[in-house]
Amino acid sequence: MENGGEAKFPAFPYKPYSIQIDFMNALYHSLDKGGVSMLESPTGTGKTLSIICSALQWVLDQRQKDQSVKRVESDEKKGKNGEIGSDDEPDWIKNFVVNKDNQVDEKKSKKNKHGFASEKYKKRMNKDSHRDLFSRNIDEESFPENKECKRSVKKNDVVDLDDNEFLLEEYESEEEGGIGSLNSKRKGNKFTVNSSSEEEEDEFEEEEEVKLKVYFCSRTHSQLSQFVKELRKTIFANEMNVVSLGSRKNFCINEEVLRLGNSTQINERCLELQKIKKKEISKMKNLGTDGKVRRTKASSGCPMLRKHKLQKQFRDEISHQGVLDIEDLVQLGRNIGTCPYYGSRSMITSADLVVLPYQSLLSKASREALGLNLKDSIVIIDEAHNLADSLISMYDAKITLSQLENVHSRIEKYFGRFRSLLGPGNRRYIQTLLVLTRAFLRVLLNDKDGNRLNTCPDAEKGVRENKTFDSSMAINDFLFSLNIDNINLIKLLQYIKESNIMHKVSGYGDKMTTMHKGSAVKENRESCAHGSILSGFQALANMLLSLTNNDGDGRIIISRKRPSSSGQGAYLKYVMLTGEKIFSEIVHEAHAVILAGGTLQPIEETRERLFPWLPSDHLHFFSCSHIVPPESILPLAVSRGPSGRSFDFSYGSRSSSTMIEELGLLLCNLATVIPEGIVVFFSSFEYEGQVYDAWKTSGILERILKKKHIFREPRKNTEIEVILKKYKEAIDNPAPKSGAILLAVVGGKISEGINFSDGMGRCIVMVGLPYPSPSDIELLERVKHIESLGDTSSMEIPKLSISEEEYYGGDVQSGFSILRSCRNRGKEYYENLCMKAVNQSIGRAIRHVNDYAAILLVDIRYASDSSKRSFSHPSSKLPQWIKESLVSATNNYGEVHKLLHQFFRFNKKQKL
C-alpha cells in the first residue's frame, strides 16, 4: 500500500503522526488479508483512535466495492456480459455479495402473511443473555412457566400452598421416550424476553440485516467508554450504527433487582421476572382474616419492560442521539423508564459496530444468547496482553464445601418428601445427583468411607479435623477415584436443564425454612436466600459440565483449606488450561481477528496457547515506537536507597524493616524533587498495607505528608472514582503542599485502566518485581501445562499416588522447586506474567506527545550488573521505547536524584 496515510484515513480528526499512519496502514492491510493479526502500539500513542479510523474506513471501502459488485450483478441480470467483481477482490467479498440477495430473500420468507417474524427468528432473538445453563448461568427454560418469586406475607395471612406445586413433572430419558422428553403440555414452550405481555411479543420483529459488522471488545467497561469517547471525535459517529453492550449488573435500573448486589443473583432475578405474564392470575391463594379466599394478580414482570412502546422510544432515541456508552444508555433508560439492557440488545442486528466486553464475545454461549453472528465479520480484541488467561478463566468452574452441603441437604429433604410421588425417571436422576454430591463431599472431607459425612452435620467441622494439602487431578483420575466414572453426565445435565429440578428443590426448601421459622421474610431477603441456593445448584451444574471436557483440557483442584477471614474454606474447582479450541471457533467464523495492545510481546507464547495451527510466518505482527521524544521519558533502575542500602524486594527480603524503611526514605526524597503526582505500585494489597502501617509507626509517613498528600487505592472498585477525584484535586490545588502520592497495586483497577496524564503521573514508581505467588496451585497447573506445549518430554511430572493426585504444600519453596524444574516455556510464562504486569503499570503515564514522566524501577534486579539469576533479565522484557532510554546502572541514590532534578527542570522549561 502507498504511504498516503492522510488521504486514505480522512476520518482521523487531527494530523496523524507517522507511527499512527503506519499503525492504520498495518491494520488496514490485516483486514484485507484476513486471519489473525497482532498489532502493538504503546499506550498513549492514540491506538484507539487509529483502530477506529482504519477499521471503519476499511468497512466503508468494502461497501463501495459491494455497490460496484451489485451494479455488475444488475447488469448481468439484464443480459450483459461480465464477471462479478474484479479479479483482485478476495473470494470472501465476492461470496458475501453474491449470497446477500439470497439471504435477504430468506429473511423475507421468515415473515408470515400477517407480517410477523417467524417463530424461528423470534426464538433466536429471544434467546437470553448472558449465559445459559451450559455457560455458567441459569437458562431461562429452567424457570417454571408460571412461577412467581415467593412474596412475604403478613402474620394474619395464611399461605395455602399445596406441596404439589413443587412436584416434578414426569421425565423420560432417551431410552424411555426420546431425548429428555417431558410428558407435559409445557414441552417446547417459549417466552419473550422483551415483555411480559403476549401482545408485545413483536417488539423485536425487525428484519435481520445481513451486513458486515465490526465487533470491538475490551476488558473493562471504563475501557469501552473510552473507546466510545474517541469514536465521537470522528465522522463515523454519525455514519455508523453503533451499539454498546454490557452485563445486566451494569445496565439494570430496577432498584429491587440491583439491591441483590451479586451478578449471578441479578441475572437469575431478571430472568425470573421475564417469566411472569402481565395478565396472568397468580395461583397463590391468600386466606384473609375474613375467611374468604382472595386471588391476587401476579406482578407484571419487570416494570421496566411492561411497555414495548417505551422500548421503541429507547431505540429511536439512540438513533437520534448517536453513539452512546453504557453510562449514557443507563441514563437514557432511566429517563424513559425502560430497560437499557434489553433495549441495547435489540439494536444488535442493525448495528455496524458493536462495542462489548470480553465475556460477551469470547464465550460461545454468550454469543449465541445475544445472537452475535461473527460470520465474515471483523473482531478486534483490545488490551490483549493477557488474552489467553482471560479466555480460559471464563470456563473455570468452582463449588465450595458450604454450597455442596446446602445442595446435598436440600436434595435429600426434597427426595424424602416426594420420593413416593415421583416417576422412575425423576427418582433415578435425583438419586444420581445425591451420589455425586455425596462423593464430592467425601473428597473435600478426605473421608473415603463416608463416616464423617453421616455423623457431622456441619461439613466445615470435617475440614477442621483434616489438615491436608491442596491437590490436583486429571478429570478421568478424579472420576475413577470417586467411582463415578460410569455416570452419563451429559444426560444428567440435560435432565437438570429440562426438568426444572433446581427451582423445584429450592422452592420447596424455601417454603420449609419459612414455615420452620414461623415468620415471614422480606421479599428482597427471601430473593437473596433463594438466589444463593440457586447459585449453589448452578455451581454444581457448572462443575458437572466441566467434567465432560477432554481429560487434558484442564485439572481438578481439591482444596481442603480451613475457612478464614481471607478465604472461603474448602472447595472443588475445575481449571481450564487450553484455549486453543475455544479461540478457534472465533477465528474460523470471522473474516479477520485483530489482537491489539500496548505490550503484546512475546507473541510466540500467545500463538502457542491460542492458535498453534497458525505457522509463525503466517502471523501478521506489527509494532511501533512511542510518539513522545526520548527526552520526555526518564526510566531509571534504582538499585540503592538514600542510606546506601540495596533494594531487594524478593519474597524473602521485602518484609524486613530495613527494606521498608529504605523505601520510605526514598519516597521522602522523591517528594522534594518530583512535582505534582507520583504513583507508587506495590505487588499486592497485603504488602502495601504492611508498608503503610510500618511507615505510620516509624514516623516516615508523617515526613512524606509534610511535602505531599497521600492516597491509597481501595480494594472496592466502587470507591476508586472518589479517591482519584481527591488525588486530582490535590494535584490541581496543591498549596501549601507540592502535589500528591497515590499508593496503588499491580493488577488492581488503577494499574489496568486508569490514565495518569500530565500532572497526574509525573513519576511512576515500581516497587520490586511483582511475580505471582508460586504457592498458587492454579498458577502451577498453568505453568506445567504451558511447559508441556509442543514437547511432551520437557517436564516429567512425578506420580505421587495411585489416583494420580498431586499434592502441594501451599508454600513458596515447593512452588519454586516446580518452577526450577521447568526448562523453557513454563519459566518463560511465569516471567512474562510479572513483566506484563510491570509494563501495564508503568504505561499509565505518558499519554500524549507533550507529556513527560520519570519511571523508577526500584529493585537491584532491574540493574544491568545484577548478580546471578535463575530467570532472564527483567529489562529485556520492557517495551522497546523504555529500553532505549533506560538508565540501568547508577552508583548511588545521589545520581538518581541529580538525574531527576535535571529531567524535570528541562521539561518544565520546554513546555512553557
Side-chain angles (χ1 to χ4, degrees):
M1 279 196 325
E2 293 183 335
N3 213 9
E6 294 179 45
K8 190 167 188 57
F9 306 109
F12 204 89
Y14 318 110
K15 182 179 180 180
Y17 298 103
S18 59
I19 64 167
Q20 293 171 331
I21 295 173
D22 292 341
F23 183 91
M24 288 188 286
N25 280 332
L27 176 53
Y28 196 98
H29 174 69
S30 297
L31 298 181
D32 270 339
K33 181 182 176 183
V36 182
S37 299
M38 299 179 72
L39 306 181
E40 182 181 70
S41 181
T43 54
T45 56
K47 169 172 58 73
T48 301
L49 201 54
S50 298
I51 289 174
I52 291 168
C53 293
S54 179
L56 298 187
Q57 185 63 50
W58 186 87
V59 171
L60 289 184
D61 292 347
Q62 298 311 307
R63 288 184 179 171
Q64 290 179 1
K65 292 181 181 180
D66 184 354
Q67 294 299 320
S68 299
V69 173
K70 276 187 174 181
R71 284 194 293 271
V72 173
E73 251 191 335
S74 177
D75 291 342
E76 276 191 337
K77 290 179 181 179
K78 294 176 182 177
K80 293 186 178 181
N81 296 324
E83 293 183 356
I84 296 178
S86 58
D87 292 335
D88 59 347
E89 279 183 344
D91 290 339
W92 76 271
I93 277 288
K94 297 178 183 179
N95 295 336
F96 183 83
V97 177
V98 168
N99 292 331
K100 191 167 182 179
D101 286 338
N102 294 335
Q103 291 169 335
V104 171
D105 291 338
E106 288 176 12
K107 286 188 300 172
K108 292 180 179 178
S109 68
K110 290 177 181 176
K111 296 249 181 172
N112 60 26
K113 62 183 181 180
H114 298 292
F116 294 107
S118 68
E119 284 303 310
K120 182 178 180 181
Y121 178 56
K122 278 186 184 179
K123 288 175 183 178
R124 193 193 69 73
M125 287 299 295
N126 289 333
K127 273 188 175 182
D128 180 67
S129 167
H130 220 39
R131 307 153 95 179
D132 62 13
L133 172 69
F134 300 101
S135 62
R136 320 292 189 224
N137 215 320
I138 294 177
D139 186 274
E140 58 253 295
E141 290 185 10
S142 54
F143 285 81
E145 179 97 345
N146 298 321
K147 184 178 176 183
E148 181 181 4
C149 192
K150 293 172 192 54
R151 306 290 179 181
S152 59
V153 294
K154 295 180 180 178
K155 291 183 178 180
N156 60 348
D157 289 340
V158 178
V159 180
D160 183 18
L161 284 174
D162 194 314
D163 283 352
N164 282 335
E165 76 168 288
F166 302 113
L167 183 62
L168 286 164
E169 299 173 34
E170 203 56 56
Y171 187 88
E172 294 178 353
S173 66
E174 183 177 356
E175 293 85 0
E176 297 162 340
I179 298 177
S181 60
L182 284 169
N183 288 337
S184 77
K185 62 183 179 181
R186 221 169 50 80
K187 180 180 176 183
N189 280 355
K190 290 282 184 177
F191 66 93
T192 56
V193 297
N194 55 299
S195 174
S196 302
S197 172
E198 294 282 352
E199 63 188 18
E200 295 171 0
E201 284 186 357
D202 61 341
E203 180 180 347
F204 293 149
E205 283 176 13
E206 300 174 5
E207 266 194 13
E208 181 180 4
E209 295 185 41
V210 181
K211 60 161 67 176
L212 175 61
K213 277 185 171 58
V214 175
Y215 293 94
F216 177 90
C217 73
S218 195
R219 295 180 64 251
T220 66
H221 288 290
S222 61
Q223 288 164 346
L224 296 176
S225 295
Q226 180 65 26
F227 177 86
V228 171
K229 182 180 178 181
E230 294 296 301
L231 179 61
R232 288 174 180 152
K233 298 177 181 178
T234 72
I235 59 171
F236 295 120
N238 299 320
E239 294 187 5
M240 295 281 187
N241 293 325
V242 183
V243 62
S244 296
L245 303 180
S247 65
R248 282 183 172 86
K249 185 174 183 179
N250 287 91
F251 267 122
C252 183
I253 59 174
N254 185 331
E255 295 300 330
E256 174 204 334
V257 177
L258 274 177
R259 278 198 297 269
L260 297 176
N262 180 276
S263 295
T264 302
Q265 293 183 20
I266 288 174
N267 289 342
E268 290 165 355
R269 181 58 176 155
C270 176
L271 290 173
E272 194 168 0
L273 287 172
Q274 307 316 309
K275 301 302 294 182
I276 303 171
K277 302 297 182 181
K278 185 177 180 180
K279 296 184 179 179
E280 282 181 345
I281 302 297
S282 171
K283 292 184 178 180
M284 182 182 292
K285 297 178 181 179
N286 294 330
L287 186 62
T289 54
D290 55 1
K292 295 181 180 179
V293 174
R294 301 193 303 271
R295 290 182 180 269
T296 59
K297 281 191 176 183
S299 167
S300 308
C302 179
M304 301 302 162
L305 281 171
R306 288 175 184 168
K307 298 179 180 179
H308 82 289
K309 291 182 179 179
L310 295 183
Q311 282 279 291
K312 185 177 184 304
Q313 182 184 346
F314 182 85
R315 295 196 298 272
D316 292 342
E317 281 293 323
I318 292 178
S319 301
H320 176 69
Q321 294 188 26
V323 183
L324 302 177
D325 63 16
I326 291 174
E327 288 73 21
D328 298 325
L329 292 169
V330 169
Q331 188 57 51
L332 179 61
R334 290 186 186 279
N335 294 342
I336 296 176
T338 193
C339 177
Y341 173 75
Y342 283 115
S344 61
R345 276 182 54 180
S346 67
M347 302 287 289
I348 294 173
T349 53
S350 61
D352 302 297
L353 171 62
V354 181
V355 183
L356 69 172
Y358 268 18
Q359 176 69 48
S360 300
L361 184 121
L362 298 178
S363 165
K364 180 180 180 181
S366 294
R367 293 197 303 273
E368 292 176 346
L370 288 168
L372 303 183
N373 181 8
L374 302 186
K375 184 67 176 174
D376 292 334
S377 63
I378 306 303
V379 174
I380 301 175
I381 303 174
D382 197 15
E383 300 297 331
H385 53 281
N386 282 328
L387 177 60
D389 286 339
S390 298
L391 180 65
I392 62 176
S393 66
M394 295 177 188
Y395 291 82
D396 289 351
K398 179 178 179 180
I399 185 165
T400 64
L401 181 58
S402 59
Q403 287 177 317
L404 268 174
E405 184 185 21
N406 287 334
V407 170
H408 182 78
S409 173
R410 291 288 180 113
I411 296 175
E412 270 194 330
K413 290 176 181 177
Y414 180 89
F415 193 53
R417 168 65 180 85
F418 294 101
R419 180 171 188 167
S420 61
L421 302 176
L422 294 170
N426 282 313
R427 283 202 304 270
R428 182 167 57 254
Y429 281 114
I430 292 175
Q431 287 173 324
T432 302
L433 282 171
L434 286 171
V435 167
L436 288 168
T437 53
R438 191 175 290 115
F440 292 165
L441 284 168
R442 281 205 310 270
V443 76
L444 285 181
L445 296 170
N446 204 18
D447 180 23
K448 295 181 180 179
D449 299 323
N451 295 327
R452 189 174 292 110
L453 181 62
N454 295 328
T455 59
C456 182
D458 184 358
E460 294 288 2
K461 293 179 183 177
V463 175
R464 288 193 285 270
E465 295 171 15
N466 285 272
K467 299 179 182 179
T468 55
F469 295 140
D470 289 351
S471 58
S472 73
M473 301 180 77
I475 295 175
N476 289 345
D477 292 330
F478 179 75
L479 296 175
F480 281 117
S481 68
L482 296 183
N483 198 26
I484 55 175
D485 55 291
N486 59 338
I487 294 176
N488 189 329
L489 295 177
I490 299 293
K491 289 176 63 178
L492 180 61
L493 285 163
Q494 191 170 359
Y495 170 76
I496 293 173
K497 180 179 180 181
E498 295 179 352
S499 68
N500 198 35
I501 184 172
M502 288 195 288
H503 290 268
K504 294 289 187 180
V505 173
S506 297
Y508 177 72
D510 288 343
K511 179 190 174 185
M512 292 298 100
T513 301
T514 303
M515 290 179 63
H516 178 71
K517 289 181 179 179
S519 62
V521 183
K522 290 185 179 180
E523 180 180 344
N524 64 329
R525 292 179 61 188
E526 183 173 336
S527 297
C528 289
H530 185 68
S532 63
I533 295 300
L534 283 178
S535 297
F537 272 106
Q538 190 60 53
L540 176 62
N542 293 341
M543 180 59 67
L544 296 178
L545 177 63
S546 296
L547 294 176
T548 65
N549 283 312
N550 293 335
D551 190 48
D553 286 352
R555 299 278 289 183
I556 303 295
I557 305 296
I558 304 166
S559 177
R560 301 183 178 98
K561 295 176 182 176
R562 298 181 184 183
S564 64
S565 58
S566 60
Q568 53 189 326
Y571 62 84
L572 287 176
K573 184 171 183 178
Y574 173 79
V575 180
M576 180 68 81
L577 297 176
T578 175
E580 174 186 343
K581 288 181 289 187
I582 303 169
F583 196 67
S584 66
E585 294 173 348
I586 298 172
V587 174
H588 294 154
E589 277 287 303
H591 163 64
V593 177
I594 307 295
L595 307 186
T599 48
L600 297 181
Q601 300 185 64
I603 62 173
E604 186 61 18
E605 177 198 308
T606 302
R607 189 194 69 80
E608 286 187 333
R609 295 183 67 190
L610 293 182
F611 34 91
W613 67 85
L614 185 68
S616 298
D617 56 350
H618 287 192
L619 174 63
H620 181 211
F621 177 73
F622 170 84
S623 180
C624 64
S625 59
H626 212 292
I627 56 175
V628 298
E631 58 269 21
S632 296
I633 309 167
L634 180 62
L636 290 169
V638 183
S639 55
R640 295 182 181 276
S643 300
R645 298 190 189 102
S646 295
F647 282 122
D648 179 8
F649 291 97
S650 57
Y651 184 80
S653 305
R654 67 184 184 187
S655 296
S656 71
S657 58
T658 55
M659 196 59 55
I660 292 175
E661 180 185 9
E662 195 70 17
L663 179 63
L665 294 176
L666 174 67
L667 263 292
C668 288
N669 281 270
L670 294 181
T672 65
V673 70
I674 297 173
E676 302 176 286
I678 302 174
V679 183
V680 184
F681 284 102
F682 293 88
S683 57
S684 67
F685 279 106
E686 288 74 21
Y687 187 56
E688 183 272 341
Q690 181 184 353
V691 170
Y692 185 86
D693 291 341
W695 288 350
K696 191 173 183 180
T697 302
S698 66
I700 288 179
L701 191 67
E702 187 178 353
R703 290 174 59 183
I704 298 174
L705 285 169
K706 289 180 180 178
K707 292 290 183 180
K708 291 183 183 290
H709 299 277
I710 293 182
F711 300 94
R712 304 172 68 190
E713 177 176 359
R715 288 179 181 263
K716 292 183 179 179
N717 288 344
T718 53
E719 299 172 0
I720 286 179
E721 192 173 336
V722 176
I723 295 297
L724 290 176
K725 184 178 180 181
K726 291 180 179 178
Y727 173 66
K728 188 176 187 306
E729 288 174 352
I731 292 169
D732 293 340
N733 305 287
K737 302 183 181 183
S738 62
I741 295 175
L742 176 61
L743 306 182
V745 174
V746 173
K749 183 81 171 180
I750 286 176
S751 71
E752 289 287 339
I754 307 298
N755 298 332
F756 293 98
S757 60
D758 301 318
M760 293 275 284
R762 284 294 176 224
C763 180
I764 303 293
V765 178
M766 174 58 61
V767 180
L769 285 158
Y771 285 106
S773 172
S775 62
D776 184 348
I777 185 173
E778 295 177 34
L779 169 67
L780 294 177
E781 289 296 338
R782 288 198 300 272
V783 166
K784 291 192 298 182
H785 172 76
I786 292 167
E787 176 71 12
S788 68
L789 291 177
D791 183 5
T792 55
S793 64
S794 63
M795 183 178 181
E796 287 296 326
I797 300 171
K799 307 302 182 185
L800 299 179
S801 68
I802 297 175
S803 65
E804 310 297 344
E805 187 171 359
E806 295 171 32
Y807 293 90
Y808 295 85
D811 62 288
V812 172
Q813 293 309 317
S814 61
F816 273 127
S817 67
I818 291 177
L819 289 168
R820 280 191 289 268
S821 67
C822 296
R823 299 176 189 173
N824 187 13
R825 292 180 176 88
K827 187 181 292 185
E828 182 84 3
Y829 167 70
Y830 185 66
E831 294 175 20
N832 291 341
L833 282 177
C834 170
M835 291 311 298
K836 284 180 180 179
V838 169
N839 294 338
Q840 276 295 112
S841 300
I842 62 181
R844 297 306 92 207
I846 311 290
R847 307 307 302 181
H848 57 84
V849 69
N850 293 317
D851 206 354
Y852 61 96
I855 297 170
L856 305 189
L857 305 173
V858 185
D859 198 297
I860 195 171
R861 291 171 291 177
Y862 287 110
S864 59
D865 59 347
S866 55
S867 56
K868 298 179 186 178
R869 59 180 65 252
S870 55
F871 298 129
S872 61
H873 200 288
S875 64
S876 67
K877 296 182 184 294
L878 290 170
Q880 189 63 35
W881 61 279
I882 290 181
K883 276 194 293 186
E884 290 172 351
S885 303
L886 178 65
V887 179
S888 57
T890 51
N891 295 320
N892 50 57
Y893 173 72
E895 289 186 24
V896 173
H897 199 89
K898 181 180 178 181
L899 288 170
L900 288 170
H901 179 72
Q902 293 172 345
F903 173 78
F904 286 107
R905 185 176 61 180
F906 171 80
N907 278 282
K908 187 175 182 180
K909 288 181 179 179
Q910 291 294 109
K911 309 306 177 186
L912 290 177

